[in-house]
Amino acid sequence: MSRHRIVVVGAGFGGLTMGAALRAAGIDDFVILEEGDDVGGVWRENTYPGSACDVPSHLYSFGFDPYRDAEVRFPDQGSILGYMRAVADRNGLRRHLRSNTSVTSATYVDADGTWTLTTADGQLLHADAVVWAVGQLHRPAVPDLPGAHSFTGRAFHSARWDHDADLTGHVAVVGTGSSAAQMVPELARTATTVTLYQRTPPWVLPKPADRFGPVSRWALAHLPGLHRLYRAGLYLGADLLLAPITREGWSARPARWLALAHLRRQVPDRALRDKLTPDYRIGEKRILVDSRFYPALTLPHVELVTDPVDRVTGDGIRTVTGTHRHADVIVWATGFRAPEFFSGITVRGRNGVDLHAHWAERGRPEAFFGLAVPGFPSMYLIAGPHSFTPTNSNPSMKEHQVRYIMRCLELNARLGAPTAVTPAAMAAYRRRLDAALARTVWPGGVRSWFKLDSDGPVTNPWPAGARKFARLLDAHAPADAFTAVPVRDVPAR
Ligand code: NAP
């Protein structure tokens, strides 16, 4: 059994930000539990060929430890993971990290206002506060298709890449999200054929070159402050140009024109273009930023199949039209069970209330500022419900939440007691959130991981710009929404 002031669960972007903030505040009594063997979160898990980020590197980094490179404009998986490892080293987080440690349950102890966590290997940890940084895109969603178990080749999810699989034969990819779009051009280099099964065509915006040109390289290397200015410009630009796309109306038109022009330019064949033309509003799903996906689809050995998949056979995939296509390898690029926050973890708050039961009663997962739940004192979420930005920097969103969580921890220390967000504050926030969500294209839009069961209530994205999220949290005093929770024996910390 070990005892800590704070237990952080997860060592991806969220856990690293939290750890760095605790260290910066002089708090050393914390541990970061990570179920994998190192830091990195999704960037450690997604090792599929072509795995990369369609958000510029400078934007996709922390404000407290910014990315400074004059070469790479868009990072690949390896460079993001390298950056995250360097952040862990530079900020002294390694000695707080306990890897290969998977949390299975967390229980609030009413008697003394602390949390007890259990791990898969039977460890017990006690903490005054727990911070969940377990991410949204971590639990693979693999469709339960008839015949899937009869397949004799290799079949695996995009985030669980089988590096022993032979990719020189016939490769089938199911799904056309960001992961599929990035891997198809790479798979097409080695495979005899690539068959891509598309259910819904994505909206795709052009992606600039991955590397800076000579002038930008020189300027970034020599002009003081330019990295910071560039990052600030990207942050502002994403908010001004991309965030409005997710709202109804004229603000989405320029992006729609750009995406259709990109498709026309890259796919000369009319029939293929028709298959790739979305028939829903841009922004309803996460938009892809990619300039290699469409050209790969025009290659003679790459086929785009739009007939729905009927079943998997011993050696391929059959569609509802009865056509069978041979496959040696099937890649499920079918996304993640993102709305199932805390899937596989039992969390019990005050009076033993189960978090999943609480959310089921509320009709969806929800949290105050995406980070606190009434009845769950001194428990904080990073990247909880409605705090993912589909149009800006998610590392920044996590930093905004961590700043607020740090102020909550200060409040607890000041009051000498655990605090919980009040139901009234949550209800007021929910009303405000719902009004903002109603102005987006998500409710009633196409199926996506933004919504419970793909087409239920919106659960994951934040419905406005990242700056608005930051302003909202920075301007808010935790004492206005959180109250002390009475305990018999308050821990003396
Ligand atoms: P995704 O965007 O959720 O896409 C999953 C795809 O699988 C969709 O095209 C979906 O079709 C399809 N699908 C699911 N079940 C299916 C079935 N039974 N039959 C046929 N098709 C099926 O997943 P992802 O591509 O892994 O990306 C997930 C998220 O990860 C992204 O939205 C993004 O936030 C993040 N990501 C980011 C980057 C980056 O560059 N920043 C890169 C990779 C991933 P429907 O649309 O019809 O449901």
Side-chain angles (χ1 to χ4, degrees):
M1 185 193 84
S2 62
R3 196 186 150 75
H4 307 274
R5 181 164 169 193
I6 296 149
V7 170
V8 180
V9 187
F13 269 109
L16 293 179
T17 330
M18 190 67 218
L22 290 169
R23 296 259 309 150
I27 299 173
D28 219 33
D29 183 9
F30 70 95
V31 63
I32 304 175
L33 307 180
E34 165 55 50
E35 79 176 0
D37 59 3
D38 196 4
V39 303
V42 295
W43 296 105
R44 196 194 61 251
E45 290 173 347
N46 282 272
T47 58
Y48 58 81
S51 176
C53 188
D54 59 10
V55 180
S57 327
H58 285 72
L59 184 59
Y60 203 75
S61 70
F62 294 126
F64 70 86
D65 193 343
Y67 179 88
R68 288 179 196 282
D69 190 295
E71 292 282 332
V72 178
R73 185 192 271 131
F74 287 96
D76 60 14
Q77 176 261 342
S79 58
I80 302 173
L81 189 56
Y83 166 78
M84 294 175 83
R85 286 177 172 151
V87 167
D89 294 338
R90 278 194 293 264
N91 291 274
L93 301 179
R94 291 277 177 197
R95 63 193 176 82
H96 296 274
L97 182 69
R98 213 184 275 180
S99 49
N100 299 311
T101 304
S102 173
V103 174
T104 51
S105 75
T107 305
Y108 181 72
V109 183
D110 290 291
D112 66 1
T114 64
W115 282 90
T116 300
L117 290 91
T118 54
T119 67
D121 59 359
Q123 295 177 55
L124 215 56
L125 295 97
H126 293 291
D128 295 347
V130 55
V131 181
W132 298 98
V134 291
Q136 298 194 356
L137 297 163
H138 164 58
R139 296 161 293 272
V142 178
D144 188 17
L145 287 168
H149 297 295
S150 67
F151 184 63
T152 54
R154 302 242 188 177
F156 46 89
H157 186 268
S158 55
R160 301 286 181 270
W161 199 263
D162 179 350
H163 289 277
D164 294 330
D166 177 4
L167 301 174
T168 58
H170 301 279
V171 181
V173 178
V174 181
T176 49
S178 313
S179 304
Q182 291 177 351
M183 76 176 70
V184 164
E186 290 302 316
L187 294 172
R189 284 170 186 265
T190 54
T192 308
T193 65
V194 176
T195 310
L196 179 62
Y197 292 86
Q198 172 184 277
R199 195 162 63 178
T200 311
W203 282 100
V204 186
L205 290 173
K207 184 183 181 190
D210 287 346
R211 306 218 150 235
F212 290 113
V215 177
S216 313
R217 271 208 302 273
W218 183 90
L220 284 165
H222 293 95
L223 300 183
L226 189 61
H227 282 285
R228 201 179 320 182
L229 195 66
Y230 173 58
R231 185 178 194 276
L234 290 169
Y235 187 64
L236 184 67
D239 259 14
L240 295 182
L241 301 174
L242 296 179
I245 296 172
T246 58
R247 290 193 285 276
E248 284 272 22
W250 64 267
S251 56
R253 283 196 199 145
R256 188 188 153 86
W257 290 329
L258 186 61
L260 290 174
H262 181 51
L263 175 59
R264 263 196 313 277
R265 205 169 41 245
Q266 293 205 315
V267 182
D269 179 76
R270 179 72 192 260
L272 179 59
R273 215 162 58 217
D274 286 348
K275 286 181 173 182
L276 288 166
T277 304
D279 62 355
Y280 59 92
R281 293 164 299 181
I282 188 165
E284 286 185 15
K285 292 157 68 77
R286 188 178 181 278
I287 299 164
L288 276 53
V289 181
D290 192 294
S291 291
R292 299 180 64 219
F293 176 51
Y294 286 152
L297 298 182
T298 66
L299 297 171
H301 66 299
V302 177
E303 185 186 7
L304 179 72
V305 176
T306 53
D307 300 327
V309 172
D310 177 36
R311 62 177 298 121
V312 178
T313 68
D315 62 351
I317 290 179
R318 199 173 70 201
T319 57
V320 291
T321 55
T323 307
H324 181 266
R325 289 174 179 83
H326 180 74
D328 303 311
V329 170
I330 298 177
V331 180
W332 302 110
T334 41
F336 300 87
R337 295 182 285 126
E340 295 176 29
F341 294 89
F342 291 99
S343 171
I345 305 176
T346 305
V347 181
R348 292 192 184 280
R350 287 185 81 184
N351 306 314
V353 170
D354 177 83
L355 182 58
H356 289 116
H358 170 76
W359 277 340
E361 212 173 89
R362 307 288 304 152
R364 68 179 190 202
E366 61 179 21
F368 183 73
F369 294 162
L371 59 78
V373 183
F376 292 78
S378 304
M379 180 184 103
Y380 309 98
L381 286 68
I382 301 175
H386 307 105
S387 67
F388 173 93
T389 171
T391 51
N392 206 312
S393 160
N394 279 294
S396 297
M397 294 292 278
K398 292 171 186 180
E399 279 190 89
H400 304 327
Q401 288 187 311
V402 165
R403 273 203 306 279
Y404 190 86
I405 293 170
M406 290 303 294
R407 290 195 287 133
C408 291
L409 293 174
E410 281 165 28
L411 178 69
N412 297 355
R414 205 164 56 241
L415 298 178
T419 62
V421 64
T422 64
M426 181 67 231
Y429 180 66
R430 179 176 170 136
R431 280 195 297 277
R432 197 170 166 175
L433 184 69
D434 283 347
L437 287 169
R439 290 193 291 273
T440 68
V441 291
W442 303 319
V446 277
R447 137 186 75 198
S448 83
W449 65 261
F450 291 177
K451 294 184 274 189
L452 196 60
D453 301 325
S454 298
D455 59 1
V458 178
T459 42
N460 292 63
W462 165 247
R467 286 172 316 146
K468 187 161 184 179
F469 191 66
R471 278 200 300 266
L472 185 65
L473 271 62
D474 287 344
H476 190 269
D480 290 346
F482 288 72
T483 55
V485 174
V487 288
R488 274 209 304 272
D489 176 22
V490 178
R493 278 171 190 272

